[in-house]
Amino acid sequence: MVAEQPVCWEEMNVQSSIECQYQLRKDDLVWRGVADETIILDLRTSLYLSLNAAGAYLWQSLEKGATERHLVESLSTEFGIDGDRASQDVKAFIACCRERDLLEATG
């Protein structure tokens, strides 16, 4: 885990974390779509990850950069799930990526 996390990661105010802009780390990450999944290799740690369709959708959004709010809204629309479920899924996905040091907070 990164020693110094951006303030928006530590922010206790839910509204602030929803507005935090996240983007995939710019170096040492490679990924490819293979069949129905996305395969990711973290070259820093040699960690191999596999994403399902929903995870791949979020990953692609994070490649360009997105707020948590945008991810929730677009996941809900794309997969036809309610906002609460989408919010839980996005929070879990972001937490997983942060735990593995795959994200940068950009705003």
Side-chain angles (χ1 to χ4, degrees):
M1 178 143 308
V2 176
E4 289 186 39
Q5 296 177 344
V7 173
C8 59
W9 285 4
E10 297 172 353
E11 180 65 52
M12 298 306 286
N13 181 332
V14 174
Q15 185 66 27
S16 295
S17 85
I18 287 174
E19 298 305 324
C20 184
Q21 177 91 8
Y22 295 100
Q23 189 167 14
L24 297 177
R25 193 179 75 214
K26 298 209 182 301
D27 59 341
D28 299 324
L29 283 176
V30 293
W31 60 90
R32 300 284 181 267
V34 178
D36 294 337
E37 62 184 342
T38 296
I39 306 300
I40 302 158
L41 178 60
D42 182 347
L43 299 174
R44 287 183 188 171
T45 63
S46 299
L47 179 68
Y48 164 90
L49 301 165
S50 175
L51 302 175
N52 63 15
Y57 181 82
L58 293 173
W59 186 264
Q60 290 171 356
S61 296
L62 289 167
E63 182 179 6
K64 301 171 204 132
T67 63
E68 185 177 316
R69 178 186 310 252
H70 172 77
L71 293 172
V72 169
E73 291 170 357
S74 63
L75 186 69
S76 179
T77 300
E78 181 71 19
F79 289 90
I81 58 177
D82 68 67
D84 288 339
R85 169 69 190 273
S87 180
Q88 291 173 357
D89 290 350
V90 167
K91 285 179 190 305
F93 188 81
I94 288 173
C96 181
C97 289
R98 283 182 47 210
E99 181 179 298
R100 289 166 175 79
D101 192 28
L102 302 176
L103 294 180
E104 299 173 343
T106 60

